[in-house]
Amino acid sequence: MESLPGEMIAEIGRYLSVADLAACSATCRTWREKFNDDRIWRRRCTLRLAEYLENTDTTVSPDLQLTEHDSLSPLSMWHARFIRENHLWNNWREGYYKVHQMACIYKGKIHTKFYKNDYVVMVLINKVKVWDVRDVPSCLLMNPCKLDPAFVVDYFQFLSEDRIIFMQSSKVSVFRMSVTSSHWPLIHSFYFDERLSTEDFSLDDVKTRRPREDRIVSVLKSYFYTVSGEYFIGVAPESARLVHIWNIKTGGKLKEVICPVSNPDSYFTKLYHAHNPSSDVVLVALENIQEGRNLRARTHLYVYNLSELRFRDFTHCLAGRGSTLHKCMIYEPYIFIKDYFFLSIYNYKTTRLIDIKPAVSIPIVLNGNVIYVTGGKFMQFNVSTGQTNQLSTFNAHPSFTVACDRFITQYRSSGQDFEVLEVSSREMRYEFSIQPNNSYWLSTRMAKTNAMCTKKIIIEFDLETNKRKVYIINFW
């Protein structure tokens, strides 16, 4: 071993587990030097985490120990980075964290999002707060931007590092933002359902026909919209056959698109933006068909390209109402359509069917790929290669959630216990009974983890007091 070149040691290290590498490093000083090679440890690190953890102090006990005996040579850069990352994951596994309450409000809407991992933007009804959450949360800014007090904030999103967009009913406002500035200037605002005078649509073309009282038909009751890159696209309830498209960068309206289903008893019901940078969005339309006294429905899916302002050739039709479509996901150039029984995967640019599976779960993005459950196993569709493979050997349940990039949680059959599956090169399964100290695993739509998996926001609703409480959990 002592005479082997470093390249050969690095190649041997590829086939050893972390426990094997630790044992080799503990054998003697020479072996420790050999196995302290950056080429061995770099491939075991999550590259996006490495620099962040190296430059961020830990605040959670037990402390991270990187210094060793003075007589030993220092750890290589990537070996030290691996130890930091493993310390983070071990805090998740063992439940080492700090928890702080950030807010408690009575009723009212509340929205939270991480900004650059260590800051949180919180909107309470229509008031904005910015929090520094590197350690104990502290409020940095109160109402840095002036929102319309007549409307509640329905949604907000970061457009870039220095721009933020707020949606209040049909009003859209874009501000320039900074965590170091107490005033965020308004770039522009608009009501997205304002009509273009140049478009030749009659009022009957764009208005949704109201159903007769004896017809069981749902119609839109609120605005819905999505943001994709520099584009805003939205639908208003009073003209649900019409999609409004705006350029967020300029604040100008680009186009109004009428529902491609010619039946006037049809209207848009949902919009889906792509999970990777793309100017393609999915438009979902519901068509009601009257045949004598019988009423049938079809759900239509279209892909629209916002940069070219045109429909792509791909279309898909499902029998039944919107509930038939359990989930649709677009990840350029693929579209994933989950109905009652099957998950269909298409390349929407070529309109080619890639795969169809009797899936029992909705598709979810994990580490840049799409996972789902079929045949009692987790499957992974690789969006780079277009190939499907088994993600792990664990048995899977239909109602699983992603706790963070490395862990999947799912309830066991009793409903009182759950298990955590570590899906990485180190496959591990942990069983838990539901306790307050491990509830951080049970992610819901009201829980968000930052990009580096070091912090998590949880919003709890207390039915007895009618209050919402916002907590932040720190694992690093």
Side-chain angles (χ1 to χ4, degrees):
M1 180 65 75
E2 287 80 357
S3 60
L4 289 178
E7 291 81 0
M8 186 67 71
I9 299 294
E11 186 63 23
I12 292 171
R14 290 183 59 185
Y15 302 95
L16 299 179
S17 67
V18 173
D20 293 335
L21 291 171
C24 290
S25 298
T27 301
C28 62
R29 290 177 184 271
T30 303
W31 279 41
R32 183 187 183 281
E33 294 289 339
K34 293 285 187 180
F35 287 94
N36 190 31
D37 191 314
D38 274 336
R39 288 169 293 189
I40 294 174
W41 296 102
R42 189 178 190 276
R43 63 168 59 98
R44 295 174 184 273
C45 294
T46 306
L47 301 185
R48 64 184 181 80
L49 275 175
E51 185 176 349
Y52 175 80
L53 296 180
E54 188 174 34
N55 294 295
T56 308
D57 294 333
T58 59
T59 62
V60 177
S61 297
D63 295 335
L64 173 64
Q65 298 294 331
L66 283 176
T67 56
E68 298 185 299
H69 195 277
D70 292 342
S71 63
L72 298 176
S73 59
L75 295 171
S76 66
M77 179 178 71
W78 284 100
H79 192 174
R81 285 178 167 179
F82 172 82
I83 291 174
R84 290 189 188 93
E85 182 178 343
N86 190 63
H87 183 75
L88 169 65
W89 299 134
N90 195 58
N91 286 348
W92 276 86
R93 297 180 194 113
E94 301 297 331
Y96 299 139
Y97 58 82
K98 287 183 176 180
V99 59
H100 300 280
Q101 182 173 313
M102 295 175 62
C104 179
I105 66 165
Y106 179 72
K107 294 185 177 181
K109 283 190 176 182
I110 183 167
H111 303 277
T112 59
K113 287 185 187 294
F114 278 103
Y115 176 71
K116 294 185 177 180
N117 289 293
D118 295 321
Y119 300 92
V120 169
V121 174
M122 179 186 298
V123 181
L124 307 174
I125 305 177
N126 52 25
K127 304 296 183 183
V128 179
K129 290 184 179 181
V130 181
W131 295 78
D132 181 343
V133 294
R134 283 174 287 188
D135 192 356
V136 179
S138 61
C139 185
L140 289 179
L141 305 173
M142 289 277 290
N143 295 324
C145 55
K146 188 176 181 181
L147 297 173
D148 194 326
F151 299 103
V152 172
V153 173
D154 297 309
Y155 181 75
F156 78 92
Q157 181 175 321
F158 304 117
L159 300 174
S160 61
E161 288 192 355
D162 66 345
R163 288 185 305 150
I164 187 171
I165 185 170
F166 295 92
M167 275 72 88
Q168 299 174 279
S169 296
S170 66
K171 186 172 184 177
V172 181
S173 303
V174 181
F175 294 87
R176 194 166 305 282
M177 67 171 296
S178 170
V179 296
T180 60
S181 173
S182 60
H183 173 65
W184 296 354
L186 177 68
I187 299 174
H188 46 246
S189 67
F190 52 86
Y191 290 90
F192 81 80
D193 55 347
E194 286 181 351
R195 295 299 311 278
L196 275 174
S197 58
T198 57
E199 292 291 353
D200 188 22
F201 298 141
S202 70
L203 206 57
D204 290 338
D205 288 334
V206 300
K207 278 199 170 184
T208 305
R209 283 192 183 177
R210 294 294 171 181
R212 298 195 311 266
E213 291 184 1
D214 60 337
R215 293 170 59 181
I216 306 173
V217 180
S218 60
V219 294
L220 296 183
K221 296 180 180 179
S222 61
Y223 301 94
F224 65 95
Y225 28 67
T226 190
V227 175
S228 182
E230 294 293 343
Y231 302 98
F232 176 94
I233 178 169
V235 176
E238 67 277 3
S239 56
R241 284 181 50 76
L242 197 66
V243 163
H244 305 264
I245 303 171
W246 292 74
N247 184 309
I248 300 173
K249 192 171 184 178
T250 64
K253 192 167 191 179
L254 298 174
K255 196 173 180 64
E256 295 172 349
V257 180
I258 195 167
C259 182
V261 183
S262 58
N263 183 350
D265 268 344
S266 62
Y267 53 94
F268 291 110
T269 60
K270 287 184 181 179
L271 300 169
Y272 294 97
H273 67 270
H275 279 267
N276 56 335
S278 171
S279 57
D280 290 324
V281 295
V282 177
L283 309 180
V284 182
L286 177 66
E287 178 186 14
N288 297 310
I289 305 167
Q290 188 73 43
E291 294 182 344
R293 294 187 176 183
N294 297 320
L295 182 68
R296 295 192 297 111
R298 293 195 188 108
T299 300
H300 300 265
L301 281 77
Y302 302 91
V303 177
Y304 192 86
N305 183 273
L306 296 169
S307 61
E308 299 177 10
L309 297 175
R310 68 174 181 88
F311 284 99
R312 292 192 177 272
D313 293 335
F314 176 85
T315 61
H316 189 79
C317 182
L318 296 167
R321 304 198 172 282
S323 58
T324 304
L325 179 66
H326 283 194
K327 180 69 174 181
C328 179
M329 176 186 293
I330 180 171
Y331 203 127
E332 187 180 354
Y334 302 103
I335 185 171
F336 303 81
I337 303 170
K338 175 69 178 74
D339 58 25
Y340 278 126
F341 303 108
F342 295 96
L343 175 68
S344 304
I345 306 173
Y346 289 87
N347 183 322
Y348 64 81
K349 290 187 175 180
T350 63
T351 71
R352 183 169 69 93
L353 177 65
I354 303 297
D355 203 355
I356 183 169
K357 297 284 187 183
V360 295
S361 74
I362 64 172
I364 293 177
V365 175
L366 177 68
N367 292 324
N369 292 312
V370 178
I371 66 171
Y372 58 93
V373 174
T374 184
K377 296 294 181 182
F378 290 104
M379 303 304 292
Q380 174 177 258
F381 181 84
N382 189 309
V383 295
S384 299
T385 64
Q387 300 296 314
T388 302
N389 62 283
Q390 190 169 307
L391 174 67
S392 74
T393 59
F394 298 121
N395 292 328
H397 295 264
S399 55
F400 69 91
T401 59
V402 174
C404 67
D405 288 355
R406 196 180 183 97
F407 300 102
I408 290 174
T409 63
Q410 57 186 12
Y411 284 100
R412 299 172 68 187
S413 56
S414 66
Q416 298 300 313
D417 304 315
F418 68 97
E419 56 189 14
V420 175
L421 310 177
E422 188 166 356
V423 287
S424 63
S425 56
R426 163 186 171 161
E427 278 202 349
M428 296 293 291
R429 178 173 172 269
Y430 312 94
E431 296 182 4
F432 295 97
S433 295
I434 297 177
Q435 302 290 337
N437 65 341
N438 59 36
S439 61
Y440 64 88
W441 286 115
L442 304 175
S443 298
T444 66
R445 288 181 297 174
M446 301 301 289
K448 301 180 180 70
T449 304
N450 66 352
M452 296 303 169
C453 303
T454 57
K455 297 176 179 68
K456 188 171 187 175
I457 298 172
I458 293 179
I459 302 175
E460 292 182 350
F461 181 68
D462 190 332
L463 288 173
E464 292 184 0
T465 62
N466 226 4
K467 290 183 178 179
R468 285 183 172 86
K469 296 180 180 179
V470 183
Y471 299 93
I472 187 149
I473 300 175
N474 190 356
F475 295 95
W476 180 249

